């Protein structure tokens, strides 16, 4: 009996060895980000809370690849957002609400299918000194309300040639009898060489509200960063338009100027964001943000941030962070981020 058990263990170990070898290109990763947030300026008064995902959304993900031969690779990512302060799922309770896609990569480029970030979102993340996190994230005001993720989408990324690359995206609306309803289309171009990073992105989303009001939402962003070593300069402009009914009509031009100052393990972040409302309402807004990070190690970072929005003519933009939309026009953050 003991010999049979021993043989079974040996056979099982051999099978596991082959399986583990086949799956050795699969990696688990994540971020645990928690901190204290103080918000003020909202209708309900000051709010003090412990929040998950201030600098970066807390998450648990899996990604991997398989060499198919001939220069072709199969890839996948399954990325789950987590509200670490309560243990609940983020993104409205979706299991893999951050990303979920499979694709093929080769000499001709990369093709991905699934739930993916939009090119506007990836552009703002690359251009923003706050990386779309902390109280100072540019998206509190800059292209506020843009679509950040698209379901049922196909994206293509070209190879990089001389620092240049391009991307295309198409999202299926999947509305019976109307292929154009809720359809998404996007395009982006990037140039990266030495200290210069230049990015342009556009997206056009057909919208359909619960009141069956059809319209379009368009965003175009152009921005750049230049790394001088002692300081990294950030700048971006955008135009946004939406025609999905009076309550959601948007016609604006946005500006962001920012800087990142690295000093050893320290980083000082700053940005100025201006939203010019071109509608008759003229609901302009200006945001000032400042932040500080201290790298305890390669994976653990302490941070603090502050932002204030000056809303005019009835504008009601809120100071949020990477996960929370916020409740007032002013907020402080103090927290810890750990990546694994």
């Amino acid at each position: 009996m003991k010999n049979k058990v021993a043989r079974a263990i040996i056979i099982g170990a051999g099978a596991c060895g082959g399986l583990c070898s086949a799956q050795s290109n699969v990696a688990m990763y994540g971020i645990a980000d928690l901190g204290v947030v103080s918000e003020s300026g909202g209708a309900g008064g000051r709010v003090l809370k412990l929040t998950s995902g201030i600098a970066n959304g807390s998450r648990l993900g899996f990604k991997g690849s398989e060499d198919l031969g001939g220069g072709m690779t199969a890839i996948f990512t399954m990325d789950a957002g987590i509200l670490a302060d309560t243990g609940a799922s983020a993104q409205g309770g979706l299991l893999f609400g951050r990303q979920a896609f499979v694709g093929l990569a080769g000499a001709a480029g990369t093709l991905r299918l699934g739930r993916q970030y939009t090119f506007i979102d990836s552009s703002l993340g690359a251009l923003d000194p706050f990386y779309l996190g902390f109280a100072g994230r540019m998206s509190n005001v800059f292209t506020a309300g843009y679509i950040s993720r698209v379901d049922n989408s196909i994206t293509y990324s070209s190879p990089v040639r001389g620092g240049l690359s391009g991307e295309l995206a198409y999202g299926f609306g999947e509305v019976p009898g109307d292929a154009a309803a809720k359809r998404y289309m996007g395009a982006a171009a990037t140039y990266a060489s030495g200290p210069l990073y230049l990015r342009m992105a556009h997206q056009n989303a057909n919208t359909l509200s619960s009141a069956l009001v059809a319209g379009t939402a368009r965003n175009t962003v152009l921005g750049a960063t230049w790394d001088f070593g002692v300081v990294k300069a950030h700048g971006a402009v955008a135009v946004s338009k939406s025609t999905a009914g009076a309550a959601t009509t948007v016609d604006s031009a946005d500006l962001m100027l920012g800087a990142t100052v690295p000093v050893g393990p320290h980083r000082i972040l700053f940005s100025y964001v201006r939203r010019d409302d071109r509608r008759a309402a003229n609901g302009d807004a200006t945001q000032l943000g400042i932040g500080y990070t201290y790298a305890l190690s390669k994976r653990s970072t302490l941070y603090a941030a502050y932002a204030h929005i000056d809303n005019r003519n009835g504008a009601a933009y809120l100071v949020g962070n990477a996960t929370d939309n916020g409740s007032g026009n002013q907020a402080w953050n103090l927290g810890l981020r750990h990546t694994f």
Side-chain angles (χ1 to χ4, degrees):
M1 181 67 179
K2 291 182 179 179
N3 290 336
K4 290 182 179 180
V5 172
R7 285 197 297 270
I9 292 174
I10 293 172
I11 293 172
C16 179
L19 181 60
C20 291
S21 175
Q23 295 183 343
S24 63
N25 55 352
V26 177
M28 181 178 73
Y29 64 92
I31 296 176
D33 182 326
L34 284 156
V36 176
V37 173
S38 175
E39 298 172 345
S40 59
R46 182 178 296 276
V47 179
L48 183 65
K49 56 189 178 182
L50 181 71
T51 296
S52 170
I54 297 171
N56 301 104
S58 298
R59 69 199 68 174
L60 178 64
F62 304 88
K63 60 183 177 181
S65 62
E66 180 188 11
D67 187 351
L68 302 176
M72 187 70 70
T73 303
I75 59 174
F76 82 91
T77 292
M78 306 294 283
D79 198 351
I82 298 172
L83 300 177
D85 52 339
T86 64
S89 293
Q91 289 80 50
L94 296 176
L95 178 57
F96 292 106
R98 295 186 60 84
Q99 297 182 91
F101 65 80
V102 67
L104 292 172
T110 302
L111 188 71
R112 299 181 180 89
L113 301 88
R115 177 175 170 84
Q116 303 176 69
Y117 291 110
T118 66
F119 299 148
I120 294 294
D121 189 83
S122 60
S123 298
L124 299 189
L127 298 168
D128 188 0
F130 293 88
Y131 302 98
L132 291 184
F134 306 101
R137 66 174 185 173
M138 63 191 291
S139 57
N140 289 332
V141 173
F142 195 96
T143 63
Y146 72 94
I147 296 173
S148 60
R149 296 177 177 88
V150 178
D151 294 335
N152 315 308
S153 65
I154 298 175
T155 65
Y156 167 75
S157 302
S158 75
V160 179
R161 297 285 187 267
L164 284 169
S165 61
E167 299 170 278
L168 295 171
Y170 184 91
F172 295 86
E174 299 189 352
V175 175
D178 190 348
K182 298 180 69 174
R183 180 180 62 196
Y184 169 89
M185 293 183 289
T190 304
Y191 176 76
S193 179
L196 174 64
Y197 175 87
L198 181 64
R199 172 87 167 176
M200 183 174 185
H202 174 78
Q203 65 185 29
N204 190 327
N206 291 342
T207 60
L208 191 65
S209 71
S210 58
L212 300 181
V213 177
T216 61
R218 301 192 302 274
N219 305 100
T220 303
V221 171
L222 173 63
T225 65
W226 187 285
D227 194 344
F228 294 94
V230 295
V231 62
K232 184 177 182 180
H234 305 249
V237 293
V239 291
S240 301
K241 290 191 176 183
S242 171
T243 60
T248 54
T249 295
V250 174
D251 187 357
S252 68
D254 305 330
L255 168 70
M256 183 279 293
L257 297 173
T260 302
V261 182
V263 184
H266 311 275
R267 294 288 187 277
I268 299 172
L269 317 173
F270 172 80
S271 73
Y272 165 86
V273 187
R274 166 74 174 171
R275 186 172 183 88
D276 178 18
D277 184 3
R278 295 177 172 177
R279 301 173 305 162
N282 197 30
D284 296 341
T286 300
Q287 174 180 283
L288 289 175
I290 187 168
Y292 166 78
T293 69
Y294 177 73
L296 297 169
S297 68
K298 290 184 177 180
R299 296 189 176 188
S300 298
T301 303
L302 289 172
Y303 59 79
Y306 167 80
H308 178 273
I309 297 175
D310 179 17
N311 287 306
R312 299 182 180 180
N313 301 321
Y317 297 101
L318 305 174
V319 177
N321 51 62
T323 301
D324 194 344
N325 289 329
S327 64
N329 70 328
Q330 178 174 273
W332 293 86
N333 308 149
L334 181 64
L336 171 65
R337 175 185 60 204
H338 178 75
T339 65
F340 60 91

